[in-house]
Amino acid sequence: MKMIHFLFLFALVSFTSHASVNDFCVADLKGPDSPSGYQCKPPNTVTVDDFVFSGFVAGNTTNTFNAALTSAFVTDFPGVNGLGVSAARLDIAKGGSIPMHTHPAATELLIMVEGQITAGFMTPTALYTKTLKPGDIMVFPQGQLHFQVNSGNGKATAFLAFSSANPGAQLLDLLLFGNTLPSDLVAQTTFLDVAQVKKLKARFGGRG
């Protein structure tokens, strides 16, 4: 377990290799976000608590995906603003999964802590998939479509590191079936029948 924690910290430090160790910009979350991040809080209002995140605990996995992501992104952890790094904790109950998704703004590093996860990513020409156990690490390049499935007999936990303070996420299921496009149009573009599309829309909050 100590080695896993060391690797997790090493990943975070590696992602910040381009940031000056003496330069920081704690996010002023009251202001607008921008492609370069949030504006900085006035230095005289910055405290040590801006550089500490204390909520890295298991989330509630009672949901559609039987999974929970506890994020330490810039909106949760203002001290990472502008540093090109953030983290998350992933908990997946037995039989749960994180469906196909991408992170438009970040590479993801997954560090297995407990249980077993089958994960992978795909490109237009190849599929890369592996069953991971504690001590294993897998990287998902920025923008690549990827997934994580609990393939073990109990709960699974992993720590995640990202190369952005705000990695963003686009879940394929929500994009396809959480919208207001007419069901017959979605059926035509996905080769699913209309009844199945309506069923999925009802599950993911879509209409039409």
Side-chain angles (χ1 to χ4, degrees), residues 166-184:
N166 190 14
Q170 296 181 341
L171 272 70
L172 187 59
D173 288 349
L174 294 180
L175 289 173
L176 286 173
F177 307 112
N179 57 60
T180 58
L181 283 173
S183 294
D184 57 348

Side-chain angles (χ1 to χ4, degrees), residues 150-168:
N150 184 341
S151 54
N153 296 319
K155 69 176 182 178
T157 300
F159 294 154
L160 311 176
F162 296 92
S163 61
S164 169
N166 190 14

Side-chain angles (χ1 to χ4, degrees), residues 113-128:
V113 176
E114 179 183 2
Q116 178 177 292
I117 290 176
T118 297
F121 69 92
M122 56 193 66
T123 72
T125 58
L127 169 66
Y128 304 92

Side-chain angles (χ1 to χ4, degrees), residues 18-77:
H18 297 294
S20 169
V21 296
N22 296 316
D23 191 17
F24 56 82
C25 173
V26 174
D28 180 0
L29 297 179
K30 295 179 182 179
D33 192 10
S34 72
S36 59
Y38 286 89
Q39 293 183 345
C40 307
K41 288 177 62 173
N44 63 344
T45 67
V46 173
T47 72
V48 67
D49 290 333
D50 290 314
F51 302 100
V52 177
F53 180 78
S54 301
F56 218 53
V57 296
N60 183 3
T61 58
T62 305
N63 53 54
T64 298
F65 303 117
N66 293 322
L69 186 78
T70 303
S71 62
F73 302 155
V74 65
T75 49
D76 317 294
F77 192 8

